[in-house]
Amino acid sequence: MPLIVMCGYPCSGKTQRAEELRVYFEENCDPSRKVHIVGDAALDVDRNTVYADSQKEKNVRASLKAEVERKVNKDDIVILDSLNYIKGYRYELFCLTKHARTPHCLVYCLTSDEVSSAWNSSRDAAEQYAQDIFDALVLRFEAPDSRNRWDSPLFTILKDDALPLEAISDALFKRKAPPANQSTQSQPLSSANFLYELDKITQDVLMAIFNAQKTSVPGDLITVPGATEKIELARNVNMAELRKFRRQFISYTKMHPTENTGQISNMFVQYLNKSLL
């Protein structure tokens, strides 16, 4: 049955909202229908260790996806309570639901980074994200867009909003399941993997620049992961400007994909060096 994908910054209220949804569906649906919450907590992972290591993070995402795939069936409701901040990963989940012929929706807990950071600081020390991990996850976050079929139907919830429970229920139970077709069976691996690699590599480049600027001075050459060329910064560049260039590069590269993902780092470095002149 339906999949509800939670999405948002770290400490944006996703787990609380997921619990509200669980209670609502358990009280208002057929008692024989189970509600499963799949999330980071169930895997008992150390978030600071996982999100500091791209391979460990990738493994966790794969484990969550596999657990969702095991639990999605004709009777139950599955809620995926995790960051789900990568567009390519949300696309993979969409393809999973298409293959299972079941509806899905996205619940986006929209908060500012300041609010989420304050909520993070208010947690017990053992449950907090380290500040550098928190900042990196906010920087990497790819906000959902309802124009993308994998992000639709989209319910954007502000911190003081009540969940539109009936509307979410209608989106799941009163819509026809999307039909499986050849494109969703043959495209996901290549399309999602390319999008993931593009997203991950450009994120790593930005983080390398972000960290290097803490100790470098204008004019220094900055080494970035996976690139033989170096970033030449004649001035300090703030993260808003870097994110703008990253969005532009991703938009262009998605229209002109390369089969050699190993060249993405160098391509992005060249793009930044030209853009920052």
Side-chain angles (χ1 to χ4, degrees):
M1 284 302 287
L3 170 67
I4 302 174
V5 178
M6 308 302 295
C7 180
Y9 284 167
C11 304
S12 58
K14 297 182 298 299
T15 297
Q16 178 182 333
R17 300 297 194 172
E19 184 62 21
E20 289 179 42
L21 287 164
R22 182 190 66 78
V23 171
Y24 173 80
F25 285 118
E26 286 183 345
E27 292 179 349
N28 292 276
C29 289
D30 186 328
S32 65
R33 178 171 290 164
K34 297 179 181 178
V35 181
H36 304 281
I37 295 181
V38 175
D40 297 349
L43 298 181
D44 193 27
V45 298
D46 184 321
R47 63 190 62 184
N48 289 309
T49 299
V50 166
Y51 290 112
D53 185 314
S54 61
Q55 187 57 51
K56 289 180 180 178
E57 182 183 347
K58 188 174 181 180
N59 292 341
V60 166
R61 280 199 302 273
S63 297
L64 290 173
K65 180 183 171 185
E67 186 64 16
V68 167
E69 193 166 13
R70 280 193 292 270
K71 292 188 180 299
V72 166
N73 59 49
K74 64 183 181 65
D75 298 315
D76 301 337
I77 299 167
V78 180
I79 303 171
L80 177 56
D81 177 23
S82 188
L83 295 174
N84 300 316
Y85 68 94
I86 297 175
K87 287 186 287 187
Y89 185 61
R90 295 199 299 268
Y91 177 71
E92 291 180 36
L93 294 169
F94 166 74
C95 292
L96 185 156
T97 60
K98 272 201 102 171
H99 181 73
R101 299 188 181 185
T102 186
H104 95 301
C105 74
L106 194 74
V107 176
Y108 176 26
C109 297
L110 177 58
T111 56
S112 67
D113 52 352
E114 291 86 0
V115 168
S116 289
S117 182
W119 286 351
N120 181 52
S121 299
S122 68
R123 289 182 170 186
D124 293 338
E127 297 180 354
Q128 289 182 19
Y129 289 86
Q131 192 60 46
D132 59 334
I133 299 297
F134 177 91
D135 291 340
L137 288 169
V138 168
L139 176 66
R140 299 203 297 261
F141 187 81
E142 296 282 357
D145 184 340
S146 61
R147 293 172 296 182
N148 298 326
R149 62 191 185 280
W150 57 87
D151 288 336
S152 179
L154 173 64
F155 296 91
T156 300
I157 313 299
L158 302 179
K159 66 184 183 71
D160 295 322
D161 288 348
L163 271 177
L165 296 166
E166 290 189 13
I168 292 173
S169 179
D170 288 348
L172 297 175
F173 296 111
K174 294 186 178 180
R175 285 193 312 130
K176 290 184 178 180
N181 55 40
Q182 186 175 1
S183 63
T184 57
Q185 292 170 6
S186 61
Q187 278 187 343
L189 283 178
S190 59
S191 297
N193 284 350
F194 174 76
L195 188 58
Y196 171 80
E197 292 298 329
L198 177 62
D199 183 86
K200 177 64 176 64
I201 290 168
T202 53
Q203 288 166 3
D204 288 346
V205 171
L206 256 62
M207 288 309 302
I209 298 171
F210 177 79
N211 291 325
Q213 285 191 124
K214 297 177 182 177
T215 55
S216 64
V217 297
D220 285 352
L221 297 178
I222 296 175
T223 301
V224 299
T228 56
E229 301 191 34
K230 297 183 178 181
I231 296 286
E232 304 171 15
L233 289 183
R235 58 182 174 84
N236 284 327
V237 185
N238 63 45
M239 295 314 301
E241 188 174 5
L242 286 173
R243 285 195 291 267
K244 180 188 73 173
F245 290 135
R246 177 174 175 266
R247 288 194 299 270
Q248 293 171 349
F249 177 79
I250 287 177
S251 295
Y252 174 83
T253 307
K254 285 195 293 186
M255 295 174 63
H256 305 84
T258 175
E259 294 183 2
N260 185 0
T261 56
Q263 290 299 313
I264 292 177
S265 286
N266 275 330
M267 291 166 59
F268 190 33
V269 168
Q270 292 168 5
Y271 181 85
L272 287 174
N273 282 336
K274 290 179 181 178
S275 300
L276 292 168
L277 288 176

Coordinates of all heavy atoms in Angstrom, one line a residue, residues 12-83:
S12 N 14.1 18.9 11.8 CA 13.0 19.8 11.3 C 11.6 19.3 11.7 O 10.6 19.8 11.2 CB 13.1 19.9 9.7 OG 13.0 18.6 9.1
G13 N 11.6 18.2 12.5 CA 10.3 17.7 13.0 C 9.8 16.5 12.2 O 8.6 16.2 12.4
K14 N 10.6 15.9 11.4 CA 10.1 14.8 10.6 C 9.6 13.6 11.4 O 8.5 13.0 11.1 CB 11.2 14.3 9.7 CG 11.7 15.3 8.7 CD 12.8 14.8 7.8 CE 14.0 14.4 8.5 NZ 14.7 15.5 9.3
T15 N 10.3 13.3 12.5 CA 9.9 12.1 13.3 C 8.6 12.4 14.0 O 7.8 11.5 14.1 CB 11.1 11.8 14.3 OG1 12.2 11.4 13.5 CG2 10.7 10.6 15.2
Q16 N 8.5 13.6 14.6 CA 7.2 13.9 15.2 C 6.0 13.8 14.3 O 5.0 13.3 14.6 CB 7.3 15.3 15.8 CG 6.0 15.8 16.5 CD 6.1 17.2 17.0 OE1 7.2 17.7 17.3 NE2 5.0 17.9 17.1
R17 N 6.2 14.4 13.0 CA 5.2 14.3 12.0 C 4.9 12.9 11.6 O 3.7 12.5 11.4 CB 5.6 15.2 10.8 CG 5.8 16.6 11.1 CD 4.6 17.3 11.6 NE 4.7 18.8 11.6 CZ 3.7 19.6 11.9 NH1 2.6 19.2 12.2 NH2 4.0 20.9 11.8
A18 N 5.9 12.1 11.5 CA 5.7 10.7 11.1 C 4.9 9.9 12.2 O 4.0 9.1 11.9 CB 7.1 10.0 10.9
E19 N 5.1 10.3 13.4 CA 4.4 9.7 14.5 C 2.9 10.1 14.5 O 2.0 9.3 14.7 CB 5.0 10.0 15.9 CG 4.4 9.4 17.1 CD 4.4 7.9 17.1 OE1 5.3 7.3 16.3 OE2 3.6 7.2 17.8
E20 N 2.7 11.4 14.2 CA 1.3 11.9 14.0 C 0.6 11.1 12.9 O -0.6 10.8 13.1 CB 1.3 13.4 13.7 CG 1.7 14.3 14.8 CD 1.8 15.8 14.4 OE1 0.8 16.2 13.7 OE2 2.7 16.5 14.8
L21 N 1.3 10.9 11.8 CA 0.7 10.1 10.7 C 0.4 8.7 11.1 O -0.7 8.2 10.8 CB 1.6 10.2 9.5 CG 1.7 11.5 8.8 CD1 2.9 11.5 7.9 CD2 0.4 11.7 7.9
R22 N 1.3 8.1 11.9 CA 1.1 6.7 12.3 C -0.2 6.6 13.2 O -1.1 5.8 13.0 CB 2.3 6.2 13.1 CG 2.1 4.8 13.6 CD 3.2 4.4 14.5 NE 3.1 5.1 15.8 CZ 2.2 4.8 16.8 NH1 1.4 3.8 16.6 NH2 2.2 5.5 17.9
V23 N -0.3 7.5 14.1 CA -1.5 7.5 15.0 C -2.8 7.7 14.3 O -3.8 7.0 14.5 CB -1.3 8.6 16.1 CG1 -2.6 8.8 16.9 CG2 -0.1 8.3 17.1
Y24 N -2.7 8.7 13.3 CA -3.9 9.0 12.6 C -4.4 7.8 11.8 O -5.6 7.4 11.8 CB -3.7 10.2 11.6 CG -4.8 10.4 10.7 CD1 -5.9 11.1 11.1 CD2 -4.8 10.0 9.3 CE1 -7.0 11.4 10.2 CE2 -5.8 10.2 8.5 CZ -6.9 10.9 8.9 OH -8.0 11.1 8.0
F25 N -3.5 7.1 11.0 CA -3.9 6.0 10.2 C -4.3 4.8 11.0 O -5.2 4.1 10.6 CB -2.7 5.7 9.2 CG -2.6 6.6 8.1 CD1 -1.4 7.4 7.9 CD2 -3.6 6.8 7.2 CE1 -1.3 8.3 6.9 CE2 -3.5 7.7 6.1 CZ -2.4 8.4 6.0
E26 N -3.6 4.6 12.2 CA -4.0 3.5 13.0 C -5.4 3.7 13.6 O -6.1 2.7 13.8 CB -3.0 3.3 14.1 CG -1.7 2.7 13.6 CD -0.7 2.4 14.7 OE1 -0.9 2.9 15.9 OE2 0.3 1.7 14.5
E27 N -5.8 4.9 13.8 CA -7.1 5.2 14.4 C -8.2 5.3 13.4 O -9.4 5.2 13.7 CB -7.0 6.5 15.2 CG -6.2 6.4 16.5 CD -6.1 7.8 17.2 OE1 -6.6 8.8 16.7 OE2 -5.6 7.8 18.4
N28 N -7.8 5.5 12.1 CA -8.8 5.8 11.1 C -8.9 4.8 10.0 O -9.8 4.9 9.1 CB -8.6 7.2 10.5 CG -8.9 8.3 11.5 OD1 -10.1 8.7 11.7 ND2 -7.9 8.8 12.2
C29 N -8.0 3.9 10.0 CA -8.0 2.9 8.9 C -8.4 1.5 9.4 O -8.6 1.3 10.7 CB -6.6 2.7 8.3 SG -6.0 4.1 7.3
D30 N -8.6 0.6 8.5 CA -9.0 -0.8 8.9 C -7.9 -1.3 9.9 O -6.7 -1.2 9.7 CB -9.0 -1.6 7.6 CG -9.5 -3.1 7.9 OD1 -9.2 -3.6 9.0 OD2 -10.1 -3.6 7.0
P31 N -8.3 -1.9 11.0 CA -7.4 -2.4 12.1 C -6.4 -3.4 11.5 O -5.4 -3.6 12.1 CB -8.3 -3.0 13.1 CG -9.6 -2.2 13.0 CD -9.7 -2.0 11.5
S32 N -6.8 -4.1 10.5 CA -6.0 -5.1 9.9 C -4.8 -4.6 9.1 O -3.8 -5.3 8.8 CB -6.7 -6.1 9.0 OG -7.2 -5.4 7.9
R33 N -4.9 -3.3 8.8 CA -3.8 -2.6 8.1 C -2.8 -2.1 9.0 O -3.0 -1.2 9.9 CB -4.4 -1.5 7.2 CG -3.4 -0.7 6.4 CD -4.1 0.2 5.5 NE -4.8 -0.5 4.4 CZ -5.7 0.0 3.6 NH1 -6.1 1.3 3.8 NH2 -6.2 -0.7 2.7
K34 N -1.6 -2.5 8.8 CA -0.5 -2.1 9.7 C 0.2 -0.8 9.2 O 0.1 -0.5 8.0 CB 0.6 -3.2 9.8 CG 0.1 -4.5 10.4 CD 1.2 -5.5 10.5 CE 0.7 -6.8 11.1 NZ 1.8 -7.9 11.1
V35 N 0.8 0.0 10.1 CA 1.5 1.2 9.7 C 3.0 1.0 10.1 O 3.2 0.8 11.3 CB 0.9 2.4 10.4 CG1 1.7 3.7 9.9 CG2 -0.5 2.6 10.0
H36 N 3.9 1.0 9.2 CA 5.3 0.7 9.4 C 6.0 2.1 9.3 O 5.9 2.8 8.3 CB 5.9 -0.3 8.5 CG 5.2 -1.6 8.4 ND1 5.4 -2.5 9.4 CD2 4.3 -2.1 7.6 CE1 4.6 -3.6 9.1 NE2 4.0 -3.4 8.0
I37 N 6.9 2.4 10.3 CA 7.8 3.5 10.2 C 9.2 2.9 10.0 O 9.7 2.2 10.8 CB 7.7 4.4 11.4 CG1 6.4 5.1 11.5 CG2 8.8 5.5 11.3 CD1 6.3 6.1 12.7
V38 N 9.8 3.3 8.8 CA 11.1 2.9 8.5 C 12.0 4.1 8.6 O 11.7 5.1 8.0 CB 11.2 2.3 7.1 CG1 12.6 1.9 6.7 CG2 10.3 1.0 7.0
G39 N 13.1 4.0 9.3 CA 13.9 5.2 9.5 C 15.3 4.9 10.0 O 15.6 3.8 10.4
D40 N 16.1 6.0 10.2 CA 17.4 5.9 10.7 C 17.4 5.2 12.1 O 18.3 4.4 12.4 CB 18.1 7.2 10.8 CG 18.3 7.9 9.4 OD1 18.0 7.2 8.4 OD2 18.6 9.1 9.3
A41 N 16.4 5.6 12.9 CA 16.4 5.1 14.3 C 16.3 3.6 14.3 O 16.9 2.9 15.2 CB 15.2 5.7 15.1
A42 N 15.6 3.0 13.4 CA 15.4 1.5 13.4 C 16.7 0.8 13.0 O 16.9 -0.3 13.4 CB 14.3 1.2 12.4
L43 N 17.6 1.5 12.3 CA 18.9 0.9 12.0 C 19.9 1.1 13.1 O 21.0 0.5 13.0 CB 19.4 1.5 10.7 CG 18.6 1.3 9.4 CD1 19.2 2.0 8.2 CD2 18.3 -0.1 9.2
D44 N 19.6 1.9 14.1 CA 20.5 2.1 15.2 C 21.9 2.6 14.8 O 22.9 2.0 15.1 CB 20.6 0.9 16.1 CG 21.3 1.1 17.4 OD1 21.2 2.3 17.9 OD2 21.9 0.2 18.0
V45 N 21.9 3.6 13.9 CA 23.1 4.1 13.4 C 23.6 5.4 14.1 O 22.7 6.1 14.7 CB 23.0 4.5 11.9 CG1 22.7 3.2 11.1 CG2 22.0 5.5 11.6
D46 N 24.8 5.6 14.2 CA 25.4 6.9 14.8 C 25.4 7.9 13.6 O 26.2 7.8 12.7 CB 26.8 6.7 15.3 CG 27.4 7.9 15.9 OD1 27.1 9.0 15.4 OD2 28.1 7.8 17.0
R47 N 24.5 8.9 13.7 CA 24.3 9.8 12.6 C 25.5 10.6 12.2 O 25.8 10.9 11.1 CB 23.1 10.8 12.9 CG 23.3 11.7 14.1 CD 22.0 12.4 14.5 NE 21.0 11.4 14.8 CZ 19.8 11.8 15.2 NH1 19.4 13.1 15.1 NH2 18.9 10.9 15.5
N48 N 26.3 11.0 13.3 CA 27.5 11.7 13.0 C 28.6 10.9 12.3 O 29.3 11.4 11.4 CB 28.1 12.3 14.3 CG 27.2 13.5 14.8 OD1 26.8 14.4 14.1 ND2 26.8 13.4 16.1
T49 N 28.6 9.6 12.6 CA 29.6 8.8 11.9 C 29.1 8.5 10.5 O 29.9 8.6 9.6 CB 29.7 7.4 12.7 OG1 30.2 7.7 14.0 CG2 30.6 6.5 12.0
V50 N 27.8 8.2 10.3 CA 27.3 7.9 9.0 C 27.4 9.1 8.0 O 27.9 8.9 6.9 CB 25.8 7.4 9.1 CG1 25.1 7.4 7.8 CG2 25.8 6.0 9.7
Y51 N 26.9 10.3 8.5 CA 26.9 11.4 7.6 C 28.2 12.1 7.4 O 28.3 13.0 6.6 CB 25.8 12.4 8.0 CG 24.4 11.8 7.9 CD1 23.6 11.5 9.0 CD2 23.9 11.6 6.6 CE1 22.3 11.0 8.8 CE2 22.6 11.1 6.4 CZ 21.8 10.8 7.5 OH 20.6 10.3 7.4
A52 N 29.2 11.6 8.1 CA 30.6 12.1 7.8 C 31.3 11.3 6.8 O 32.4 11.6 6.3 CB 31.4 12.1 9.1
D53 N 30.7 10.1 6.4 CA 31.3 9.2 5.5 C 30.4 8.9 4.3 O 29.3 8.3 4.6 CB 31.7 7.9 6.2 CG 32.5 6.9 5.4 OD1 32.1 6.7 4.2 OD2 33.5 6.4 5.9
S54 N 30.7 9.3 3.1 CA 29.7 9.2 2.0 C 29.4 7.7 1.7 O 28.2 7.4 1.4 CB 30.3 9.8 0.7 OG 31.5 9.2 0.4
Q55 N 30.4 6.8 1.9 CA 30.1 5.4 1.6 C 29.1 4.8 2.7 O 28.2 4.1 2.3 CB 31.4 4.6 1.6 CG 31.1 3.1 1.1 CD 30.5 3.0 -0.3 OE1 30.9 3.7 -1.2 NE2 29.4 2.2 -0.3
K56 N 29.4 5.1 3.9 CA 28.5 4.7 5.0 C 27.1 5.2 4.8 O 26.1 4.5 5.0 CB 29.0 5.1 6.4 CG 30.3 4.3 6.8 CD 30.7 4.8 8.1 CE 32.0 4.0 8.6 NZ 32.5 4.4 9.9
E57 N 27.0 6.5 4.4 CA 25.7 7.1 4.2 C 25.0 6.4 3.0 O 23.8 6.2 3.1 CB 25.9 8.6 3.9 CG 24.5 9.3 3.7 CD 24.7 10.8 3.3 OE1 25.8 11.3 3.4 OE2 23.7 11.4 2.8
K58 N 25.7 6.1 2.0 CA 25.1 5.4 0.8 C 24.6 4.1 1.2 O 23.5 3.6 0.8 CB 26.2 5.3 -0.3 CG 25.6 4.8 -1.6 CD 26.7 4.8 -2.7 CE 26.2 4.3 -4.0 NZ 27.3 4.4 -5.1
N59 N 25.4 3.4 2.1 CA 24.9 2.0 2.6 C 23.7 2.1 3.4 O 22.8 1.3 3.3 CB 26.0 1.4 3.4 CG 27.3 1.0 2.5 OD1 27.2 0.9 1.3 ND2 28.4 0.8 3.2
V60 N 23.6 3.2 4.2 CA 22.4 3.4 5.0 C 21.1 3.6 4.2 O 20.1 3.1 4.4 CB 22.6 4.5 6.1 CG1 21.2 4.9 6.7 CG2 23.5 4.1 7.2
R61 N 21.3 4.5 3.1 CA 20.2 4.8 2.2 C 19.8 3.5 1.5 O 18.6 3.2 1.3 CB 20.6 5.8 1.2 CG 20.6 7.2 1.7 CD 20.5 8.2 0.5 NE 21.7 8.1 -0.4 CZ 22.8 8.7 -0.2 NH1 23.0 9.5 0.9 NH2 23.8 8.5 -1.0
A62 N 20.7 2.7 1.1 CA 20.4 1.4 0.5 C 19.6 0.5 1.4 O 18.7 -0.2 1.0 CB 21.7 0.7 0.0
S63 N 20.0 0.5 2.7 CA 19.3 -0.4 3.7 C 17.9 0.1 3.9 O 17.0 -0.7 4.0 CB 20.1 -0.4 5.0 OG 21.4 -1.0 4.8
L64 N 17.7 1.4 4.0 CA 16.4 2.0 4.2 C 15.5 1.6 3.0 O 14.3 1.2 3.1 CB 16.5 3.5 4.4 CG 17.1 3.9 5.7 CD1 17.3 5.5 5.7 CD2 16.2 3.5 6.9
K65 N 16.1 1.8 1.8 CA 15.3 1.5 0.6 C 14.9 0.0 0.5 O 13.8 -0.3 0.2 CB 16.1 1.9 -0.7 CG 15.4 1.6 -2.0 CD 16.3 1.9 -3.2 CE 15.6 1.5 -4.5 NZ 16.5 1.7 -5.6
A66 N 15.8 -0.8 0.9 CA 15.6 -2.3 0.9 C 14.5 -2.6 1.9 O 13.6 -3.5 1.6 CB 16.8 -3.1 1.2
E67 N 14.5 -2.0 3.0 CA 13.5 -2.2 4.1 C 12.1 -1.7 3.6 O 11.1 -2.4 3.8 CB 13.9 -1.5 5.4 CG 12.9 -1.8 6.5 CD 13.0 -3.3 7.0 OE1 13.9 -4.0 6.6 OE2 12.0 -3.7 7.7
V68 N 12.1 -0.6 2.9 CA 10.8 -0.1 2.3 C 10.3 -1.1 1.3 O 9.1 -1.4 1.3 CB 11.0 1.3 1.7 CG1 9.8 1.7 0.8 CG2 11.3 2.4 2.8
E69 N 11.2 -1.6 0.5 CA 10.8 -2.5 -0.6 C 10.2 -3.8 0.0 O 9.2 -4.3 -0.5 CB 11.9 -2.8 -1.5 CG 11.6 -3.5 -2.7 CD 12.7 -3.5 -3.8 OE1 13.9 -3.2 -3.4 OE2 12.5 -3.8 -4.9
R70 N 10.7 -4.2 1.2 CA 10.2 -5.4 1.8 C 8.8 -5.2 2.4 O 8.0 -6.1 2.4 CB 11.2 -5.9 2.9 CG 12.4 -6.6 2.4 CD 13.1 -7.3 3.6 NE 13.8 -6.4 4.4 CZ 15.0 -5.9 4.3 NH1 15.7 -6.3 3.3 NH2 15.5 -5.0 5.1
K71 N 8.6 -4.0 2.9 CA 7.4 -3.8 3.6 C 6.2 -3.2 2.8 O 5.1 -3.3 3.2 CB 7.6 -2.8 4.8 CG 8.5 -3.3 5.9 CD 8.6 -2.4 7.1 CE 9.5 -3.0 8.2 NZ 9.0 -4.3 8.7
V72 N 6.5 -2.7 1.6 CA 5.5 -2.2 0.7 C 4.7 -3.4 0.2 O 5.2 -4.3 -0.4 CB 6.0 -1.4 -0.5 CG1 5.0 -1.2 -1.5 CG2 6.5 -0.1 0.0
N73 N 3.4 -3.4 0.5 CA 2.5 -4.5 0.0 C 1.1 -4.0 -0.2 O 0.8 -2.8 0.0 CB 2.6 -5.7 1.0 CG 2.1 -5.3 2.4 OD1 1.1 -4.7 2.6 ND2 2.9 -5.7 3.4
K74 N 0.2 -4.9 -0.4 CA -1.2 -4.5 -0.8 C -2.0 -4.1 0.4 O -3.1 -3.6 0.3 CB -1.9 -5.6 -1.5 CG -2.1 -6.9 -0.7 CD -2.8 -7.9 -1.6 CE -3.0 -9.2 -0.8 NZ -4.0 -9.1 0.3
D75 N -1.5 -4.3 1.6 CA -2.3 -4.1 2.8 C -1.8 -2.9 3.7 O -2.6 -2.2 4.3 CB -2.4 -5.3 3.7 CG -3.0 -6.5 3.0 OD1 -4.1 -6.2 2.3 OD2 -2.5 -7.6 3.0
D76 N -0.5 -2.7 3.8 CA 0.0 -1.8 4.8 C 0.4 -0.4 4.3 O 0.5 -0.2 3.1 CB 1.2 -2.5 5.5 CG 0.9 -3.8 6.1 OD1 -0.3 -4.0 6.4 OD2 1.8 -4.7 6.3
I77 N 0.7 0.5 5.3 CA 1.2 1.8 5.0 C 2.6 1.9 5.5 O 2.9 1.5 6.6 CB 0.3 2.9 5.7 CG1 -1.1 2.8 5.2 CG2 0.9 4.3 5.5 CD1 -2.1 3.6 6.0
V78 N 3.5 2.4 4.7 CA 4.9 2.6 5.0 C 5.3 4.1 5.1 O 5.0 4.8 4.1 CB 5.8 1.8 4.0 CG1 7.3 2.0 4.5 CG2 5.4 0.4 4.0
I79 N 5.9 4.5 6.2 CA 6.4 5.9 6.3 C 7.9 5.8 6.4 O 8.4 5.2 7.3 CB 5.8 6.5 7.6 CG1 4.2 6.5 7.6 CG2 6.3 8.0 7.7 CD1 3.6 6.9 8.9
L80 N 8.5 6.5 5.5 CA 10.0 6.5 5.5 C 10.5 7.8 6.2 O 10.4 8.9 5.6 CB 10.6 6.5 4.1 CG 12.1 6.5 3.9 CD1 12.8 5.5 4.8 CD2 12.5 6.4 2.5
D81 N 11.0 7.6 7.4 CA 11.4 8.8 8.2 C 12.9 8.9 8.2 O 13.6 8.4 9.0 CB 10.9 8.6 9.7 CG 11.3 9.7 10.6 OD1 11.6 10.8 10.1 OD2 11.4 9.4 11.8
S82 N 13.3 9.7 7.2 CA 14.7 10.0 7.1 C 14.9 11.4 6.4 O 13.9 12.0 6.1 CB 15.4 8.9 6.3 OG 16.8 9.1 6.3
L83 N 16.1 11.8 6.2 CA 16.3 13.1 5.5 C 15.8 13.1 4.1 O 15.2 14.1 3.7 CB 17.8 13.5 5.5 CG 18.5 13.7 6.9 CD1 20.0 13.8 6.7 CD2 17.9 14.8 7.6

